[in-house]
Amino acid sequence: MGSTEHPSRRAFTGLLTAGAGLIALSACTPETPAPSPAAADAPTGSPSAAATTQAPAVTPAAAATSTPTSAASSPSPSGAAATQYSLTDPTSPWVVVNKHRPLNPQNYVPADLVQPAVRVAVSGEASLLNSTTAAAAEKMFGAAAAEGVIMALASGYRSYSTQVATYNGYVAGSGQAAADRASARPGFSEHQTGWSFDISDGGGACSFQPCFAEQPAAVWAKANAYKFGFVVRYPWMFHEITGYFYESWHLRYIGVEAATAMATGGIATLEEYFGLEAAPDYL
């Protein structure tokens, strides 16, 4: 699922902040880790999709079940979006997947996977997105290109079986504790929903590395992605809420209204926007 020339895609990424080294927790691990190359040969075909149970649709305010641990008074998203969506149904653009909230069913496969008409740096399943995300990505990539910024799709959909191989490779090479810091457990990866993807710069500079945040594609996406319905899912210094350190390359579609409400309201994470508890570690 892409070149093996970037080991940082599979290993801990060092982030330097406030004079101290932080070890990055990577939600985006499209390849198997180096300690277990045999895992790369595991089949990548998606298991049959189980029937998805429709959960009651909710507004952001109704979704609040507890106060985020980051702050006692996080901004309220009440009324931010007119349309109501489920937070648990994987077919919903508002589904929240984190270390406390696995996919249901865990072997979910989007029924409408397509390859968007954008520059792609990968092939196979990793080049696919669900149809809604693909259409929004095409508009966003086109708008960026019109301003002279070239970006590429670096990792899109990832099946349950691919995540099994990826995660098990980490466990075999480094143990479960280290694996949980480097890779999402099977059934806990946002990539499996088809609603998220990773971008790279047109030239591939700093792909999946901290320095990507300074590349034109990342700078442009941070400032403009909300206009097309996307947010940077794992923002800087919110790892105690999201469970992952900053990933400037990982974009998540939630719709233009919700993304705009987060951007204009200064709300950094989906957990805060929907009033959900922080999920720094697995339960």
Side-chain angles (χ1 to χ4, degrees), residues 34-277:
S36 181
D41 298 324
T44 57
S46 303
S48 299
T52 302
T53 301
Q54 294 290 333
V58 294
T59 61
T65 57
S66 63
T67 302
T69 59
S70 63
S73 57
S74 60
S76 171
S78 179
T83 306
Q84 298 181 8
Y85 297 107
S86 167
L87 303 185
T88 57
D89 180 356
T91 68
S92 163
W94 281 6
V95 65
V96 179
V97 180
N98 60 29
K99 291 180 176 181
H100 289 186
R101 301 171 63 89
L103 281 165
N104 183 22
Q106 285 199 324
N107 65 346
Y108 170 71
V109 180
D112 59 341
L113 290 171
V114 297
Q115 181 170 314
V118 300
R119 181 189 295 251
V120 295
V122 286
S123 60
E125 68 175 28
S127 67
L128 306 178
L129 303 170
N130 69 34
S131 59
T132 302
T133 304
E138 290 172 357
K139 293 178 181 179
M140 183 179 70
F141 279 49
E147 296 184 26
V149 176
I150 305 302
M151 60 178 64
L153 173 61
S155 182
Y157 171 68
R158 195 176 314 141
S159 66
Y160 180 87
S161 60
T162 295
Q163 198 67 31
V164 168
T166 299
Y167 181 78
N168 286 349
Y170 275 102
V171 172
S174 304
Q176 185 169 358
D180 284 342
R181 292 193 297 269
S183 176
R185 292 179 183 178
F188 288 82
S189 173
E190 198 176 64
H191 279 272
Q192 192 180 329
T193 67
W195 294 112
S196 69
F197 60 91
D198 302 324
I199 61 170
S200 62
D201 206 56
C206 289
S207 293
F208 299 95
Q209 298 179 54
C211 58
F212 182 69
E214 305 302 322
Q215 298 303 310
V219 172
W220 190 95
K222 183 178 180 181
N224 297 283
Y226 75 91
K227 301 172 186 177
F228 306 90
F230 295 99
V231 296
V232 177
R233 177 65 175 100
Y234 307 114
W236 175 251
M237 294 304 291
F238 281 86
H239 51 281
E240 290 297 334
I241 294 177
T242 66
Y244 297 101
F245 280 109
Y246 186 33
E247 293 188 359
S248 58
W249 52 83
H250 183 103
L251 303 183
R252 164 65 195 273
Y253 182 83
I254 58 172
V256 174
E257 284 187 273
T260 300
M262 288 182 64
T264 58
I267 305 172
T269 71
L270 297 189
E271 286 79 8
E272 291 172 298
Y273 182 65
F274 293 118
L276 302 173
E277 66 182 5

